[in-house]
Amino acid sequence: MPDQTFAPDWQTQPETREAQGLRLETAPAGGVFLVAARTGAVLPPLSGLAWPTAPGPWVGGDPGMTLIAPNRWLVACAPAHRGAVGAQLEALQAGQLVHAHDVGDGRVWFAVSGPRADALLNCGIAIDLALDRFPPGTAASVQLSRAHVLLHRSGAHAFRLLADASYTSYLRAWFAHTMPLVAGAPT
């Protein structure tokens, strides 16, 4: 009989978990694109957004994007806007400015919020999440308890993490174990 602990993660169902002021929401990613540009290509704005030229900032909301490597971006949008953003990227691709891959079906979002969200994430991430060091609108590729994620601080006490769907069970188990420990810890 197969181990039910590791059910197919690509079929991620939305889930919400709460513990004394901490909230975790998990949902399929929907619209996520990896975009690579030709060196020296001048890209027109995507949905009115200029392409970030330095690592760190998360530009926009829906869609939003961040530079993940030289001439490489991650673009994310709500599932309802996936087709429109995909069409804009296809037009850029037709003009031979970029190569874009829709990877949304293989990704999952974790949204962590609450006054101790940074303390929770610092249990598994080795970067300083203090507001003055990692302010809202900042993004970074990090390891969360050995799982590679893209971390985006979306508010003073709110973070979004984008992970490969294959990490869903592992990360849910990590959060289930760690949330009660952090929620009950003295401030």
Side-chain angles (χ1 to χ4, degrees), residues 15-19 22-26 108-113 116-125 144-145 147 149 151 159-163 167-183:
E15 177 182 287
T16 301
R17 180 182 305 268
E18 295 189 44
L22 284 171
R23 182 178 176 90
L24 171 70
E25 297 175 81
T26 309
V108 62
W109 280 112
F110 290 85
V112 180
S113 60
R116 298 198 36 89
D118 54 349
L120 172 65
L121 292 172
N122 271 139
C123 290
I125 293 175
L144 174 61
S145 184
V149 300
L151 175 67
F159 297 85
R160 294 182 344 138
L161 296 90
L162 182 67
Y167 290 129
T168 304
S169 294
Y170 174 78
L171 289 172
R172 281 181 171 167
W174 184 85
F175 280 115
H177 171 78
T178 310
M179 281 179 73
L181 300 175
V182 172

mmCIF file of all heavy atoms in Angstrom, residues 15-19 22-26 108-113 116-125 144-145 147 149 151 159-163 167-183:
data_model
loop_
_atom_site.group_PDB
_atom_site.id
_atom_site.type_symbol
_atom_site.label_atom_id
_atom_site.label_comp_id
_atom_site.label_asym_id
_atom_site.label_seq_id
_atom_site.Cartn_x
_atom_site.Cartn_y
_atom_site.Cartn_z
ATOM 1 N N GLU A 15 -5.358 25.100 1.419
ATOM 2 C CA GLU A 15 -5.425 24.722 2.829
ATOM 3 C C GLU A 15 -5.070 25.939 3.665
ATOM 4 O O GLU A 15 -4.207 26.729 3.277
ATOM 5 C CB GLU A 15 -4.423 23.587 3.093
ATOM 6 C CG GLU A 15 -4.359 23.155 4.544
ATOM 7 C CD GLU A 15 -3.321 22.063 4.758
ATOM 8 O OE1 GLU A 15 -3.585 20.922 4.351
ATOM 9 O OE2 GLU A 15 -2.254 22.373 5.319
ATOM 10 N N THR A 16 -5.738 26.096 4.807
ATOM 11 C CA THR A 16 -5.433 27.178 5.739
ATOM 12 C C THR A 16 -5.179 26.572 7.104
ATOM 13 O O THR A 16 -5.891 25.669 7.536
ATOM 14 C CB THR A 16 -6.605 28.184 5.817
ATOM 15 O OG1 THR A 16 -6.823 28.716 4.514
ATOM 16 C CG2 THR A 16 -6.297 29.314 6.782
ATOM 17 N N ARG A 17 -4.157 27.089 7.777
ATOM 18 C CA ARG A 17 -3.799 26.632 9.122
ATOM 19 C C ARG A 17 -3.552 27.880 9.964
ATOM 20 O O ARG A 17 -2.917 28.819 9.488
ATOM 21 C CB ARG A 17 -2.540 25.772 9.026
ATOM 22 C CG ARG A 17 -2.031 25.215 10.306
ATOM 23 C CD ARG A 17 -0.749 24.427 10.085
ATOM 24 N NE ARG A 17 -0.882 23.381 9.098
ATOM 25 C CZ ARG A 17 -1.213 22.115 9.361
ATOM 26 N NH1 ARG A 17 -1.452 21.761 10.605
ATOM 27 N NH2 ARG A 17 -1.291 21.221 8.413
ATOM 28 N N GLU A 18 -4.028 27.886 11.205
ATOM 29 C CA GLU A 18 -3.825 29.035 12.083
ATOM 30 C C GLU A 18 -3.350 28.566 13.443
ATOM 31 O O GLU A 18 -3.733 27.491 13.899
ATOM 32 C CB GLU A 18 -5.113 29.841 12.230
ATOM 33 C CG GLU A 18 -5.542 30.481 10.925
ATOM 34 C CD GLU A 18 -6.684 31.463 11.083
ATOM 35 O OE1 GLU A 18 -6.643 32.261 12.034
ATOM 36 O OE2 GLU A 18 -7.594 31.426 10.249
ATOM 37 N N ALA A 19 -2.503 29.376 14.074
ATOM 38 C CA ALA A 19 -2.014 29.085 15.417
ATOM 39 C C ALA A 19 -1.680 30.400 16.102
ATOM 40 O O ALA A 19 -0.694 31.044 15.770
ATOM 41 C CB ALA A 19 -0.778 28.185 15.368
ATOM 42 N N LEU A 22 -0.733 33.371 13.969
ATOM 43 C CA LEU A 22 -0.028 33.017 12.737
ATOM 44 C C LEU A 22 -1.014 32.364 11.782
ATOM 45 O O LEU A 22 -1.870 31.593 12.203
ATOM 46 C CB LEU A 22 1.110 32.033 13.017
ATOM 47 C CG LEU A 22 2.365 32.600 13.651
ATOM 48 C CD1 LEU A 22 3.297 31.478 14.077
ATOM 49 C CD2 LEU A 22 3.069 33.534 12.681
ATOM 50 N N ARG A 23 -0.895 32.684 10.517
ATOM 51 C CA ARG A 23 -1.791 32.114 9.511
ATOM 52 C C ARG A 23 -0.960 31.615 8.330
ATOM 53 O O ARG A 23 -0.076 32.319 7.845
ATOM 54 C CB ARG A 23 -2.789 33.163 9.042
ATOM 55 C CG ARG A 23 -3.795 32.674 8.035
ATOM 56 C CD ARG A 23 -4.777 33.811 7.693
ATOM 57 N NE ARG A 23 -5.707 33.426 6.667
ATOM 58 C CZ ARG A 23 -6.890 32.856 6.877
ATOM 59 N NH1 ARG A 23 -7.278 32.618 8.109
ATOM 60 N NH2 ARG A 23 -7.674 32.537 5.881
ATOM 61 N N LEU A 24 -1.250 30.401 7.892
ATOM 62 C CA LEU A 24 -0.602 29.810 6.729
ATOM 63 C C LEU A 24 -1.687 29.415 5.735
ATOM 64 O O LEU A 24 -2.623 28.707 6.086
ATOM 65 C CB LEU A 24 0.199 28.568 7.122
ATOM 66 C CG LEU A 24 0.750 27.745 5.958
ATOM 67 C CD1 LEU A 24 1.870 28.507 5.246
ATOM 68 C CD2 LEU A 24 1.248 26.394 6.434
ATOM 69 N N GLU A 25 -1.552 29.900 4.522
ATOM 70 C CA GLU A 25 -2.460 29.522 3.448
ATOM 71 C C GLU A 25 -1.631 28.888 2.338
ATOM 72 O O GLU A 25 -0.578 29.408 1.977
ATOM 73 C CB GLU A 25 -3.196 30.738 2.897
ATOM 74 C CG GLU A 25 -4.096 31.411 3.922
ATOM 75 C CD GLU A 25 -4.711 32.674 3.379
ATOM 76 O OE1 GLU A 25 -5.707 32.573 2.659
ATOM 77 O OE2 GLU A 25 -4.151 33.752 3.672
ATOM 78 N N THR A 26 -2.101 27.770 1.829
ATOM 79 C CA THR A 26 -1.436 27.075 0.736
ATOM 80 C C THR A 26 -2.400 27.010 -0.428
ATOM 81 O O THR A 26 -3.579 26.701 -0.245
ATOM 82 C CB THR A 26 -1.067 25.634 1.147
ATOM 83 O OG1 THR A 26 -0.377 25.665 2.385
ATOM 84 C CG2 THR A 26 -0.202 24.960 0.103
ATOM 85 N N VAL A 108 3.559 25.949 -6.075
ATOM 86 C CA VAL A 108 2.552 26.181 -5.039
ATOM 87 C C VAL A 108 2.959 27.422 -4.240
ATOM 88 O O VAL A 108 4.143 27.678 -4.037
ATOM 89 C CB VAL A 108 2.388 24.940 -4.122
ATOM 90 C CG1 VAL A 108 3.674 24.629 -3.384
ATOM 91 C CG2 VAL A 108 1.244 25.096 -3.159
ATOM 92 N N TRP A 109 1.960 28.217 -3.846
ATOM 93 C CA TRP A 109 2.185 29.392 -2.993
ATOM 94 C C TRP A 109 1.894 29.034 -1.544
ATOM 95 O O TRP A 109 0.887 28.399 -1.246
ATOM 96 C CB TRP A 109 1.250 30.538 -3.377
ATOM 97 C CG TRP A 109 1.655 31.328 -4.561
ATOM 98 C CD1 TRP A 109 1.013 31.366 -5.765
ATOM 99 C CD2 TRP A 109 2.758 32.230 -4.684
ATOM 100 N NE1 TRP A 109 1.655 32.217 -6.624
ATOM 101 C CE2 TRP A 109 2.735 32.762 -5.988
ATOM 102 C CE3 TRP A 109 3.780 32.632 -3.826
ATOM 103 C CZ2 TRP A 109 3.681 33.682 -6.445
ATOM 104 C CZ3 TRP A 109 4.717 33.540 -4.281
ATOM 105 C CH2 TRP A 109 4.663 34.061 -5.569
ATOM 106 N N PHE A 110 2.746 29.485 -0.667
ATOM 107 C CA PHE A 110 2.501 29.463 0.769
ATOM 108 C C PHE A 110 2.451 30.922 1.200
ATOM 109 O O PHE A 110 3.396 31.673 0.929
ATOM 110 C CB PHE A 110 3.633 28.750 1.523
ATOM 111 C CG PHE A 110 3.689 27.275 1.307
ATOM 112 C CD1 PHE A 110 4.350 26.747 0.206
ATOM 113 C CD2 PHE A 110 3.077 26.409 2.195
ATOM 114 C CE1 PHE A 110 4.409 25.385 -0.006
ATOM 115 C CE2 PHE A 110 3.133 25.038 1.991
ATOM 116 C CZ PHE A 110 3.794 24.520 0.887
ATOM 117 N N ALA A 111 1.373 31.347 1.834
ATOM 118 C CA ALA A 111 1.265 32.706 2.366
ATOM 119 C C ALA A 111 1.313 32.606 3.886
ATOM 120 O O ALA A 111 0.516 31.884 4.491
ATOM 121 C CB ALA A 111 -0.040 33.350 1.911
ATOM 122 N N VAL A 112 2.271 33.296 4.490
ATOM 123 C CA VAL A 112 2.462 33.274 5.940
ATOM 124 C C VAL A 112 2.243 34.688 6.449
ATOM 125 O O VAL A 112 2.849 35.637 5.949
ATOM 126 C CB VAL A 112 3.887 32.808 6.306
ATOM 127 C CG1 VAL A 112 4.070 32.781 7.815
ATOM 128 C CG2 VAL A 112 4.182 31.446 5.701
ATOM 129 N N SER A 113 1.367 34.839 7.436
ATOM 130 C CA SER A 113 1.105 36.173 7.971
ATOM 131 C C SER A 113 0.883 36.113 9.478
ATOM 132 O O SER A 113 0.587 35.058 10.034
ATOM 133 C CB SER A 113 -0.110 36.800 7.269
ATOM 134 O OG SER A 113 -1.258 36.003 7.455
ATOM 135 N N ARG A 116 4.193 37.232 14.210
ATOM 136 C CA ARG A 116 5.407 36.426 14.407
ATOM 137 C C ARG A 116 5.792 35.664 13.130
ATOM 138 O O ARG A 116 6.527 34.687 13.181
ATOM 139 C CB ARG A 116 5.223 35.473 15.577
ATOM 140 C CG ARG A 116 4.985 36.265 16.868
ATOM 141 C CD ARG A 116 5.184 35.548 18.162
ATOM 142 N NE ARG A 116 6.225 34.586 18.263
ATOM 143 C CZ ARG A 116 7.488 34.845 18.631
ATOM 144 N NH1 ARG A 116 7.861 36.075 18.900
ATOM 145 N NH2 ARG A 116 8.354 33.887 18.739
ATOM 146 N N ALA A 117 5.310 36.138 11.977
ATOM 147 C CA ALA A 117 5.610 35.459 10.704
ATOM 148 C C ALA A 117 7.113 35.421 10.452
ATOM 149 O O ALA A 117 7.646 34.394 10.015
ATOM 150 C CB ALA A 117 4.883 36.140 9.558
ATOM 151 N N ASP A 118 7.812 36.528 10.736
ATOM 152 C CA ASP A 118 9.266 36.536 10.507
ATOM 153 C C ASP A 118 9.971 35.568 11.449
ATOM 154 O O ASP A 118 10.904 34.872 11.050
ATOM 155 C CB ASP A 118 9.842 37.948 10.615
ATOM 156 C CG ASP A 118 9.508 38.654 11.911
ATOM 157 O OD1 ASP A 118 8.647 38.167 12.677
ATOM 158 O OD2 ASP A 118 10.103 39.714 12.168
ATOM 159 N N ALA A 119 9.518 35.456 12.688
ATOM 160 C CA ALA A 119 10.115 34.512 13.638
ATOM 161 C C ALA A 119 9.892 33.076 13.166
ATOM 162 O O ALA A 119 10.797 32.233 13.269
ATOM 163 C CB ALA A 119 9.531 34.710 15.033
ATOM 164 N N LEU A 120 8.705 32.793 12.640
ATOM 165 C CA LEU A 120 8.418 31.459 12.119
ATOM 166 C C LEU A 120 9.362 31.116 10.973
ATOM 167 O O LEU A 120 10.004 30.068 10.974
ATOM 168 C CB LEU A 120 6.958 31.389 11.637
ATOM 169 C CG LEU A 120 6.553 30.116 10.886
ATOM 170 C CD1 LEU A 120 6.636 28.899 11.791
ATOM 171 C CD2 LEU A 120 5.155 30.271 10.317
ATOM 172 N N LEU A 121 9.474 32.019 10.017
ATOM 173 C CA LEU A 121 10.323 31.744 8.857
ATOM 174 C C LEU A 121 11.800 31.688 9.237
ATOM 175 O O LEU A 121 12.557 30.914 8.657
ATOM 176 C CB LEU A 121 10.074 32.776 7.763
ATOM 177 C CG LEU A 121 8.691 32.672 7.127
ATOM 178 C CD1 LEU A 121 8.443 33.839 6.181
ATOM 179 C CD2 LEU A 121 8.514 31.343 6.405
ATOM 180 N N ASN A 122 12.216 32.481 10.225
ATOM 181 C CA ASN A 122 13.619 32.439 10.639
ATOM 182 C C ASN A 122 13.997 31.122 11.311
ATOM 183 O O ASN A 122 15.183 30.839 11.479
ATOM 184 C CB ASN A 122 13.986 33.624 11.522
ATOM 185 C CG ASN A 122 14.468 34.813 10.725
ATOM 186 O OD1 ASN A 122 14.119 35.945 11.022
ATOM 187 N ND2 ASN A 122 15.268 34.568 9.701
ATOM 188 N N CYS A 123 13.012 30.292 11.639
ATOM 189 C CA CYS A 123 13.320 28.951 12.142
ATOM 190 C C CYS A 123 13.870 28.059 11.027
ATOM 191 O O CYS A 123 14.503 27.042 11.310
ATOM 192 C CB CYS A 123 12.081 28.292 12.740
ATOM 193 S SG CYS A 123 11.549 29.032 14.293
ATOM 194 N N GLY A 124 13.629 28.430 9.781
ATOM 195 C CA GLY A 124 14.086 27.597 8.669
ATOM 196 C C GLY A 124 14.846 28.333 7.597
ATOM 197 O O GLY A 124 15.308 27.717 6.635
ATOM 198 N N ILE A 125 14.985 29.653 7.729
ATOM 199 C CA ILE A 125 15.678 30.465 6.726
ATOM 200 C C ILE A 125 16.834 31.186 7.400
ATOM 201 O O ILE A 125 16.661 31.789 8.456
ATOM 202 C CB ILE A 125 14.719 31.493 6.088
ATOM 203 C CG1 ILE A 125 13.652 30.781 5.269
ATOM 204 C CG2 ILE A 125 15.478 32.488 5.219
ATOM 205 C CD1 ILE A 125 12.586 31.700 4.705
ATOM 206 N N LEU A 144 14.347 27.048 2.687
ATOM 207 C CA LEU A 144 13.504 26.952 3.884
ATOM 208 C C LEU A 144 13.572 25.505 4.335
ATOM 209 O O LEU A 144 13.006 24.626 3.671
ATOM 210 C CB LEU A 144 12.058 27.359 3.603
ATOM 211 C CG LEU A 144 11.077 27.143 4.760
ATOM 212 C CD1 LEU A 144 11.481 27.954 5.987
ATOM 213 C CD2 LEU A 144 9.665 27.509 4.345
ATOM 214 N N SER A 145 14.313 25.266 5.394
ATOM 215 C CA SER A 145 14.493 23.911 5.902
ATOM 216 C C SER A 145 14.852 22.938 4.775
ATOM 217 O O SER A 145 14.216 21.912 4.589
ATOM 218 C CB SER A 145 13.238 23.449 6.642
ATOM 219 O OG SER A 145 13.442 22.179 7.212
ATOM 220 N N ALA A 147 14.431 23.174 1.585
ATOM 221 C CA ALA A 147 13.598 23.245 0.372
ATOM 222 C C ALA A 147 13.826 24.607 -0.286
ATOM 223 O O ALA A 147 13.718 25.646 0.371
ATOM 224 C CB ALA A 147 12.125 23.072 0.720
ATOM 225 N N VAL A 149 12.940 27.839 -2.125
ATOM 226 C CA VAL A 149 11.721 28.636 -2.327
ATOM 227 C C VAL A 149 12.104 30.048 -2.765
ATOM 228 O O VAL A 149 13.220 30.502 -2.523
ATOM 229 C CB VAL A 149 10.851 28.723 -1.043
ATOM 230 C CG1 VAL A 149 10.410 27.353 -0.575
ATOM 231 C CG2 VAL A 149 11.561 29.459 0.078
ATOM 232 N N LEU A 151 11.144 33.655 -1.772
ATOM 233 C CA LEU A 151 10.508 34.345 -0.650
ATOM 234 C C LEU A 151 10.216 35.781 -1.054
ATOM 235 O O LEU A 151 11.100 36.477 -1.552
ATOM 236 C CB LEU A 151 11.449 34.326 0.562
ATOM 237 C CG LEU A 151 11.011 35.099 1.791
ATOM 238 C CD1 LEU A 151 9.777 34.460 2.414
ATOM 239 C CD2 LEU A 151 12.147 35.155 2.798
ATOM 240 N N PHE A 159 4.304 37.296 4.239
ATOM 241 C CA PHE A 159 5.263 36.751 3.281
ATOM 242 C C PHE A 159 4.535 35.791 2.342
ATOM 243 O O PHE A 159 3.558 35.153 2.734
ATOM 244 C CB PHE A 159 6.356 35.948 3.996
ATOM 245 C CG PHE A 159 7.202 36.758 4.921
ATOM 246 C CD1 PHE A 159 6.801 36.989 6.234
ATOM 247 C CD2 PHE A 159 8.405 37.283 4.491
ATOM 248 C CE1 PHE A 159 7.589 37.726 7.102
ATOM 249 C CE2 PHE A 159 9.204 38.024 5.354
ATOM 250 C CZ PHE A 159 8.795 38.248 6.652
ATOM 251 N N ARG A 160 5.049 35.696 1.123
ATOM 252 C CA ARG A 160 4.597 34.672 0.177
ATOM 253 C C ARG A 160 5.823 33.869 -0.222
ATOM 254 O O ARG A 160 6.887 34.434 -0.456
ATOM 255 C CB ARG A 160 3.959 35.298 -1.059
ATOM 256 C CG ARG A 160 2.689 36.030 -0.741
ATOM 257 C CD ARG A 160 1.956 36.648 -1.912
ATOM 258 N NE ARG A 160 2.689 36.783 -3.129
ATOM 259 C CZ ARG A 160 2.178 36.514 -4.342
ATOM 260 N NH1 ARG A 160 0.954 36.099 -4.464
ATOM 261 N NH2 ARG A 160 2.906 36.690 -5.424
ATOM 262 N N LEU A 161 5.661 32.563 -0.268
ATOM 263 C CA LEU A 161 6.743 31.675 -0.671
ATOM 264 C C LEU A 161 6.259 30.863 -1.860
ATOM 265 O O LEU A 161 5.175 30.267 -1.800
ATOM 266 C CB LEU A 161 7.117 30.720 0.464
ATOM 267 C CG LEU A 161 7.673 31.352 1.730
ATOM 268 C CD1 LEU A 161 6.546 31.681 2.691
ATOM 269 C CD2 LEU A 161 8.650 30.427 2.388
ATOM 270 N N LEU A 162 7.047 30.834 -2.898
ATOM 271 C CA LEU A 162 6.729 30.034 -4.074
ATOM 272 C C LEU A 162 7.677 28.848 -4.079
ATOM 273 O O LEU A 162 8.896 29.022 -4.031
ATOM 274 C CB LEU A 162 6.911 30.862 -5.352
ATOM 275 C CG LEU A 162 6.564 30.159 -6.655
ATOM 276 C CD1 LEU A 162 5.064 29.884 -6.737
ATOM 277 C CD2 LEU A 162 7.023 30.988 -7.840
ATOM 278 N N ALA A 163 7.105 27.654 -4.116
ATOM 279 C CA ALA A 163 7.913 26.436 -4.071
ATOM 280 C C ALA A 163 7.495 25.491 -5.181
ATOM 281 O O ALA A 163 6.365 25.551 -5.678
ATOM 282 C CB ALA A 163 7.746 25.741 -2.720
ATOM 283 N N TYR A 167 7.567 19.915 -3.136
ATOM 284 C CA TYR A 167 7.886 20.214 -1.738
ATOM 285 C C TYR A 167 6.648 20.439 -0.875
ATOM 286 O O TYR A 167 6.768 20.704 0.318
ATOM 287 C CB TYR A 167 8.762 21.470 -1.639
ATOM 288 C CG TYR A 167 10.170 21.319 -2.148
ATOM 289 C CD1 TYR A 167 10.678 22.220 -3.061
ATOM 290 C CD2 TYR A 167 10.990 20.303 -1.685
ATOM 291 C CE1 TYR A 167 11.977 22.105 -3.528
ATOM 292 C CE2 TYR A 167 12.292 20.177 -2.143
ATOM 293 C CZ TYR A 167 12.784 21.081 -3.061
ATOM 294 O OH TYR A 167 14.063 20.973 -3.514
ATOM 295 N N THR A 168 5.458 20.365 -1.436
ATOM 296 C CA THR A 168 4.240 20.711 -0.698
ATOM 297 C C THR A 168 4.089 19.916 0.592
ATOM 298 O O THR A 168 3.910 20.491 1.666
ATOM 299 C CB THR A 168 2.994 20.556 -1.578
ATOM 300 O OG1 THR A 168 3.154 21.358 -2.743
ATOM 301 C CG2 THR A 168 1.733 20.977 -0.839
ATOM 302 N N SER A 169 4.142 18.599 0.526
ATOM 303 C CA SER A 169 3.963 17.775 1.733
ATOM 304 C C SER A 169 5.045 18.062 2.759
ATOM 305 O O SER A 169 4.767 18.182 3.955
ATOM 306 C CB SER A 169 3.975 16.289 1.377
ATOM 307 O OG SER A 169 2.865 15.963 0.594
ATOM 308 N N TYR A 170 6.274 18.175 2.294
ATOM 309 C CA TYR A 170 7.397 18.439 3.190
ATOM 310 C C TYR A 170 7.221 19.780 3.896
ATOM 311 O O TYR A 170 7.363 19.874 5.121
ATOM 312 C CB TYR A 170 8.705 18.410 2.392
ATOM 313 C CG TYR A 170 9.911 18.817 3.196
ATOM 314 C CD1 TYR A 170 10.503 17.927 4.093
ATOM 315 C CD2 TYR A 170 10.457 20.097 3.076
ATOM 316 C CE1 TYR A 170 11.609 18.303 4.831
ATOM 317 C CE2 TYR A 170 11.566 20.466 3.820
ATOM 318 C CZ TYR A 170 12.131 19.575 4.700
ATOM 319 O OH TYR A 170 13.223 19.945 5.444
ATOM 320 N N LEU A 171 6.900 20.835 3.140
ATOM 321 C CA LEU A 171 6.754 22.162 3.745
ATOM 322 C C LEU A 171 5.524 22.242 4.640
ATOM 323 O O LEU A 171 5.563 22.868 5.702
ATOM 324 C CB LEU A 171 6.728 23.240 2.667
ATOM 325 C CG LEU A 171 8.081 23.483 1.984
ATOM 326 C CD1 LEU A 171 7.923 24.423 0.792
ATOM 327 C CD2 LEU A 171 9.101 24.023 2.968
ATOM 328 N N ARG A 172 4.424 21.610 4.243
ATOM 329 C CA ARG A 172 3.249 21.588 5.122
ATOM 330 C C ARG A 172 3.587 20.924 6.448
ATOM 331 O O ARG A 172 3.173 21.386 7.517
ATOM 332 C CB ARG A 172 2.081 20.883 4.444
ATOM 333 C CG ARG A 172 1.348 21.741 3.448
ATOM 334 C CD ARG A 172 0.181 20.999 2.836
ATOM 335 N NE ARG A 172 -0.635 21.899 2.036
ATOM 336 C CZ ARG A 172 -1.563 21.491 1.188
ATOM 337 N NH1 ARG A 172 -1.800 20.209 1.023
ATOM 338 N NH2 ARG A 172 -2.265 22.381 0.506
ATOM 339 N N ALA A 173 4.341 19.819 6.412
ATOM 340 C CA ALA A 173 4.734 19.135 7.648
ATOM 341 C C ALA A 173 5.652 20.022 8.479
ATOM 342 O O ALA A 173 5.522 20.075 9.709
ATOM 343 C CB ALA A 173 5.413 17.807 7.314
ATOM 344 N N TRP A 174 6.589 20.736 7.822
ATOM 345 C CA TRP A 174 7.481 21.631 8.550
ATOM 346 C C TRP A 174 6.676 22.738 9.243
ATOM 347 O O TRP A 174 6.887 23.025 10.421
ATOM 348 C CB TRP A 174 8.524 22.248 7.601
ATOM 349 C CG TRP A 174 9.519 23.100 8.325
ATOM 350 C CD1 TRP A 174 10.654 22.677 8.948
ATOM 351 C CD2 TRP A 174 9.444 24.518 8.541
ATOM 352 N NE1 TRP A 174 11.297 23.755 9.532
ATOM 353 C CE2 TRP A 174 10.570 24.895 9.292
ATOM 354 C CE3 TRP A 174 8.533 25.504 8.168
ATOM 355 C CZ2 TRP A 174 10.815 26.202 9.670
ATOM 356 C CZ3 TRP A 174 8.773 26.807 8.548
ATOM 357 C CH2 TRP A 174 9.909 27.149 9.298
ATOM 358 N N PHE A 175 5.747 23.359 8.521
ATOM 359 C CA PHE A 175 4.925 24.411 9.122
ATOM 360 C C PHE A 175 4.054 23.847 10.245
ATOM 361 O O PHE A 175 3.899 24.479 11.291
ATOM 362 C CB PHE A 175 4.051 25.097 8.068
ATOM 363 C CG PHE A 175 4.775 26.133 7.255
ATOM 364 C CD1 PHE A 175 4.969 25.952 5.895
ATOM 365 C CD2 PHE A 175 5.248 27.303 7.833
ATOM 366 C CE1 PHE A 175 5.631 26.904 5.134
ATOM 367 C CE2 PHE A 175 5.914 28.266 7.079
ATOM 368 C CZ PHE A 175 6.109 28.068 5.729
ATOM 369 N N ALA A 176 3.465 22.663 10.053
ATOM 370 C CA ALA A 176 2.612 22.057 11.087
ATOM 371 C C ALA A 176 3.406 21.821 12.371
ATOM 372 O O ALA A 176 2.879 21.989 13.474
ATOM 373 C CB ALA A 176 2.013 20.748 10.581
ATOM 374 N N HIS A 177 4.676 21.450 12.247
ATOM 375 C CA HIS A 177 5.519 21.225 13.413
ATOM 376 C C HIS A 177 5.992 22.534 14.038
ATOM 377 O O HIS A 177 6.020 22.676 15.266
ATOM 378 C CB HIS A 177 6.740 20.369 13.010
ATOM 379 C CG HIS A 177 7.760 20.268 14.091
ATOM 380 N ND1 HIS A 177 7.612 19.419 15.172
ATOM 381 C CD2 HIS A 177 8.942 20.918 14.270
ATOM 382 C CE1 HIS A 177 8.654 19.556 15.977
ATOM 383 N NE2 HIS A 177 9.470 20.447 15.454
ATOM 384 N N THR A 178 6.355 23.509 13.203
ATOM 385 C CA THR A 178 7.013 24.718 13.697
ATOM 386 C C THR A 178 6.045 25.802 14.156
ATOM 387 O O THR A 178 6.339 26.535 15.103
ATOM 388 C CB THR A 178 7.953 25.283 12.595
ATOM 389 O OG1 THR A 178 8.776 24.220 12.122
ATOM 390 C CG2 THR A 178 8.843 26.390 13.134
ATOM 391 N N MET A 179 4.883 25.922 13.510
ATOM 392 C CA MET A 179 3.934 26.992 13.889
ATOM 393 C C MET A 179 3.556 26.972 15.358
ATOM 394 O O MET A 179 3.614 28.004 16.013
ATOM 395 C CB MET A 179 2.681 26.939 13.012
ATOM 396 C CG MET A 179 2.888 27.553 11.654
ATOM 397 S SD MET A 179 1.417 27.460 10.603
ATOM 398 C CE MET A 179 0.357 28.695 11.365
ATOM 399 N N PRO A 180 3.163 25.832 15.939
ATOM 400 C CA PRO A 180 2.803 25.850 17.365
ATOM 401 C C PRO A 180 3.965 26.236 18.278
ATOM 402 O O PRO A 180 3.769 26.867 19.316
ATOM 403 C CB PRO A 180 2.360 24.409 17.653
ATOM 404 C CG PRO A 180 2.026 23.848 16.312
ATOM 405 C CD PRO A 180 2.920 24.531 15.333
ATOM 406 N N LEU A 181 5.193 25.876 17.889
ATOM 407 C CA LEU A 181 6.359 26.216 18.702
ATOM 408 C C LEU A 181 6.589 27.718 18.719
ATOM 409 O O LEU A 181 6.861 28.307 19.772
ATOM 410 C CB LEU A 181 7.608 25.532 18.152
ATOM 411 C CG LEU A 181 7.559 23.997 18.104
ATOM 412 C CD1 LEU A 181 8.802 23.443 17.418
ATOM 413 C CD2 LEU A 181 7.415 23.429 19.503
ATOM 414 N N VAL A 182 6.459 28.364 17.554
ATOM 415 C CA VAL A 182 6.684 29.807 17.453
ATOM 416 C C VAL A 182 5.502 30.567 18.042
ATOM 417 O O VAL A 182 5.676 31.570 18.736
ATOM 418 C CB VAL A 182 6.938 30.218 15.994
ATOM 419 C CG1 VAL A 182 6.978 31.730 15.840
ATOM 420 C CG2 VAL A 182 8.238 29.592 15.502
ATOM 421 N N ALA A 183 4.285 30.105 17.787
ATOM 422 C CA ALA A 183 3.088 30.801 18.271
ATOM 423 C C ALA A 183 3.051 30.838 19.789
ATOM 424 O O ALA A 183 2.606 31.813 20.383
ATOM 425 C CB ALA A 183 1.826 30.126 17.735
#
